[in-house]
Coordinates of all heavy atoms in Angstrom, one line a residue:
Q1 N 0.8 -1.2 0.0 CA 0.0 0.0 0.0 C 0.9 1.2 0.0 O 1.1 1.8 1.0 CB -1.0 0.0 1.2 CG -1.8 -1.2 1.3 CD -2.7 -1.4 0.1 OE1 -3.2 -0.4 -0.4 NE2 -2.9 -2.6 -0.3
M2 N 1.4 1.6 -1.2 CA 2.3 2.7 -1.3 C 1.6 3.9 -1.8 O 0.7 3.8 -2.6 CB 3.4 2.4 -2.3 CG 4.3 1.2 -2.0 SD 5.3 1.5 -0.6 CE 6.2 0.0 -0.5
S3 N 1.9 5.1 -1.2 CA 1.4 6.3 -1.6 C 1.8 6.7 -3.0 O 3.0 6.5 -3.3 CB 1.7 7.3 -0.5 OG 1.4 8.7 -1.0
P4 N 0.9 7.2 -3.8 CA 1.4 7.7 -5.1 C 2.5 8.8 -5.1 O 3.1 9.1 -6.1 CB 0.2 8.1 -5.8 CG -1.0 8.1 -4.8 CD -0.4 7.4 -3.6
E5 N 2.5 9.5 -3.9 CA 3.4 10.6 -3.9 C 4.9 10.2 -3.6 O 5.8 11.0 -3.7 CB 3.0 11.6 -2.7 CG 1.8 12.4 -3.0 CD 0.6 11.7 -2.5 OE1 0.6 11.1 -1.4 OE2 -0.5 11.9 -3.1
I6 N 5.1 9.0 -3.2 CA 6.4 8.4 -2.9 C 7.2 8.4 -4.2 O 6.7 7.7 -5.2 CB 6.3 7.1 -2.2 CG1 5.7 7.2 -0.8 CG2 7.8 6.5 -2.1 CD1 5.5 5.8 -0.1
D7 N 8.4 9.0 -4.2 CA 9.3 8.9 -5.4 C 10.4 7.9 -5.1 O 11.2 8.1 -4.1 CB 9.8 10.3 -5.7 CG 10.7 10.3 -6.9 OD1 10.6 9.4 -7.7 OD2 11.4 11.3 -7.1
F8 N 10.5 6.9 -5.9 CA 11.5 5.8 -5.7 C 12.7 6.1 -6.6 O 13.5 5.2 -6.8 CB 10.9 4.5 -6.0 CG 9.9 4.0 -4.9 CD1 8.6 4.0 -5.2 CD2 10.4 3.6 -3.7 CE1 7.7 3.6 -4.3 CE2 9.5 3.2 -2.7 CZ 8.2 3.2 -3.0
G9 N 12.8 7.3 -7.2 CA 13.9 7.6 -8.0 C 13.5 7.4 -9.5 O 12.4 7.0 -9.8
P10 N 14.5 7.6 -10.3 CA 14.2 7.4 -11.8 C 14.0 5.9 -12.1 O 14.5 5.1 -11.5 CB 15.5 7.9 -12.4 CG 16.6 7.7 -11.4 CD 15.9 8.0 -10.1
D11 N 13.1 5.7 -13.1 CA 12.9 4.4 -13.6 C 14.1 3.8 -14.2 O 14.7 4.5 -15.0 CB 11.7 4.4 -14.5 CG 10.3 4.7 -13.9 OD1 10.3 4.6 -12.7 OD2 9.4 5.1 -14.6
I12 N 14.3 2.6 -14.0 CA 15.5 1.9 -14.6 C 15.0 1.4 -16.0 O 14.0 0.7 -16.1 CB 16.0 0.7 -13.8 CG1 16.5 1.3 -12.5 CG2 17.1 0.0 -14.5 CD1 16.8 0.1 -11.5
D13 N 15.6 1.9 -17.1 CA 15.2 1.5 -18.4 C 16.3 0.5 -19.0 O 17.1 0.9 -19.7 CB 15.0 2.7 -19.3 CG 14.4 2.3 -20.6 OD1 13.7 1.3 -20.7 OD2 14.6 3.1 -21.6
T14 N 16.1 -0.8 -18.7 CA 17.1 -1.9 -19.2 C 16.6 -2.1 -20.6 O 15.4 -2.6 -20.9 CB 17.0 -3.0 -18.3 OG1 17.4 -2.6 -17.0 CG2 18.0 -4.1 -18.8
P15 N 17.5 -2.0 -21.6 CA 17.1 -2.2 -23.0 C 16.9 -3.8 -23.3 O 17.5 -4.6 -22.6 CB 18.2 -1.7 -23.8 CG 19.4 -1.7 -22.9 CD 18.8 -1.6 -21.5
I16 N 16.0 -4.0 -24.2 CA 15.8 -5.4 -24.7 C 16.6 -5.5 -26.0 O 16.2 -5.1 -27.0 CB 14.3 -5.7 -24.9 CG1 13.6 -5.6 -23.6 CG2 14.1 -7.0 -25.6 CD1 12.1 -5.8 -23.6
D17 N 17.8 -6.1 -25.9 CA 18.7 -6.1 -27.0 C 18.7 -7.4 -27.8 O 19.2 -7.6 -28.8 CB 20.2 -5.9 -26.6 CG 20.4 -4.5 -26.1 OD1 19.7 -3.6 -26.7 OD2 21.2 -4.2 -25.2
G18 N 18.1 -8.5 -27.1 CA 18.0 -9.8 -27.8 C 17.8 -10.8 -26.8 O 17.6 -10.6 -25.6
L19 N 17.7 -12.1 -27.2 CA 17.3 -13.2 -26.4 C 18.2 -13.3 -25.2 O 17.7 -13.5 -24.0 CB 17.2 -14.4 -27.3 CG 16.7 -15.7 -26.6 CD1 15.3 -15.5 -26.0 CD2 16.6 -16.8 -27.6
T20 N 19.5 -13.2 -25.4 CA 20.4 -13.4 -24.3 C 20.3 -12.4 -23.3 O 20.3 -12.6 -22.1 CB 21.9 -13.5 -24.8 OG1 22.0 -14.6 -25.8 CG2 22.9 -13.8 -23.7
S21 N 20.2 -11.1 -23.7 CA 20.0 -10.0 -22.8 C 18.7 -10.1 -22.0 O 18.7 -9.7 -20.8 CB 20.1 -8.6 -23.5 OG 19.0 -8.3 -24.2
V22 N 17.7 -10.6 -22.6 CA 16.4 -10.7 -21.8 C 16.6 -11.8 -20.7 O 16.2 -11.6 -19.6 CB 15.3 -11.1 -22.8 CG1 14.1 -11.6 -22.1 CG2 15.0 -10.0 -23.8
S23 N 17.3 -12.9 -21.1 CA 17.5 -14.0 -20.1 C 18.4 -13.5 -19.0 O 18.1 -13.8 -17.8 CB 18.2 -15.2 -20.8 OG 17.3 -15.8 -21.7
V24 N 19.4 -12.7 -19.3 CA 20.3 -12.2 -18.3 C 19.6 -11.3 -17.3 O 19.7 -11.5 -16.1 CB 21.5 -11.4 -19.0 CG1 22.3 -10.6 -17.9 CG2 22.4 -12.5 -19.6
H25 N 18.8 -10.4 -17.8 CA 18.1 -9.4 -17.0 C 17.0 -10.1 -16.2 O 16.8 -9.8 -14.9 CB 17.5 -8.3 -17.7 CG 17.0 -7.1 -16.9 ND1 17.9 -6.4 -16.0 CD2 15.9 -6.6 -16.6 CE1 17.3 -5.5 -15.4 NE2 16.0 -5.6 -15.7
L26 N 16.2 -11.0 -16.8 CA 15.2 -11.7 -16.0 C 15.8 -12.6 -14.9 O 15.3 -12.7 -13.8 CB 14.2 -12.5 -16.9 CG 13.4 -11.7 -17.8 CD1 12.5 -12.6 -18.7 CD2 12.4 -10.8 -17.0
S27 N 16.9 -13.2 -15.2 CA 17.6 -14.0 -14.2 C 18.1 -13.1 -13.0 O 18.0 -13.5 -11.8 CB 18.8 -14.7 -14.8 OG 18.5 -15.6 -15.7
Y28 N 18.6 -11.9 -13.3 CA 18.9 -11.0 -12.3 C 17.8 -10.6 -11.4 O 17.9 -10.6 -10.2 CB 19.5 -9.7 -13.0 CG 19.7 -8.5 -12.1 CD1 20.8 -8.4 -11.2 CD2 18.7 -7.5 -12.0 CE1 20.9 -7.3 -10.3 CE2 18.9 -6.4 -11.2 CZ 20.0 -6.3 -10.3 OH 20.1 -5.2 -9.6
L29 N 16.7 -10.3 -12.0 CA 15.4 -9.9 -11.3 C 14.9 -11.0 -10.4 O 14.5 -10.9 -9.3 CB 14.3 -9.3 -12.2 CG 14.7 -8.0 -12.9 CD1 13.6 -7.7 -13.8 CD2 14.8 -6.9 -11.8
Q30 N 15.0 -12.3 -11.0 CA 14.5 -13.4 -10.3 C 15.3 -13.6 -9.0 O 14.8 -13.9 -8.0 CB 14.6 -14.7 -11.2 CG 14.2 -15.9 -10.4 CD 14.6 -17.2 -11.2 OE1 15.7 -17.2 -11.8 NE2 13.7 -18.2 -11.2
L31 N 16.6 -13.5 -9.1 CA 17.5 -13.6 -8.0 C 17.2 -12.5 -6.9 O 17.1 -12.8 -5.7 CB 19.0 -13.5 -8.4 CG 20.0 -13.7 -7.3 CD1 20.0 -15.2 -6.8 CD2 21.4 -13.4 -7.8
R32 N 16.9 -11.3 -7.3 CA 16.7 -10.2 -6.4 C 15.3 -10.4 -5.7 O 15.1 -9.8 -4.6 CB 16.7 -8.9 -7.1 CG 18.0 -8.4 -7.6 CD 19.1 -8.8 -6.7 NE 20.5 -8.4 -7.1 CZ 21.4 -9.2 -7.6 NH1 21.1 -10.5 -7.8 NH2 22.6 -8.8 -7.9
L33 N 14.4 -11.1 -6.3 CA 13.0 -11.3 -5.7 C 13.0 -12.4 -4.7 O 12.0 -12.7 -4.2 CB 12.0 -11.5 -6.8 CG 11.6 -10.2 -7.6 CD1 10.8 -10.6 -8.8 CD2 10.9 -9.2 -6.7
R34 N 14.2 -13.1 -4.5 CA 14.2 -14.2 -3.5 C 14.5 -13.7 -2.1 O 14.7 -14.5 -1.2 CB 15.2 -15.2 -4.0 CG 14.8 -16.0 -5.2 CD 15.8 -17.1 -5.5 NE 15.4 -17.8 -6.6 CZ 16.2 -18.5 -7.5 NH1 17.5 -18.5 -7.2 NH2 15.7 -19.1 -8.5
V35 N 14.6 -12.4 -2.0 CA 14.9 -11.8 -0.7 C 13.7 -11.9 0.3 O 12.6 -11.4 -0.1 CB 15.3 -10.4 -0.8 CG1 15.5 -9.7 0.5 CG2 16.6 -10.3 -1.7
P36 N 13.7 -12.5 1.4 CA 12.6 -12.6 2.4 C 12.3 -11.1 2.9 O 13.1 -10.3 2.9 CB 13.1 -13.4 3.5 CG 14.4 -13.9 3.1 CD 14.9 -13.2 1.9
P37 N 11.1 -10.8 3.2 CA 9.9 -11.8 3.2 C 9.3 -11.8 1.8 O 8.8 -10.8 1.3 CB 8.9 -11.1 4.2 CG 9.3 -9.6 4.1 CD 10.8 -9.5 3.8
A38 N 9.2 -12.9 1.2 CA 8.8 -13.1 -0.1 C 7.7 -14.1 -0.3 O 7.5 -14.7 -1.4 CB 10.0 -13.3 -1.1

């Protein structure tokens, strides 16, 4: 329940350069989402 006024900084715009880069970035995000409480 986050307030819309909260600014979390600039959006990260990771480019989609190809199949390998998509796999690399999604693997990175998957790892970061394993942090408890999850």
Side-chain angles (χ1 to χ4, degrees):
Q1 303 299 323
M2 301 290 183
S3 170
E5 289 94 33
I6 296 176
D7 182 18
F8 289 104
D11 292 342
I12 298 171
D13 186 28
T14 305
I16 296 176
D17 291 328
L19 187 53
T20 302
S21 73
V22 169
S23 295
V24 166
H25 192 64
L26 289 178
S27 295
Y28 167 80
L29 291 174
Q30 178 192 36
L31 183 67
R32 296 319 182 257
L33 287 171
R34 289 186 181 152
V35 175

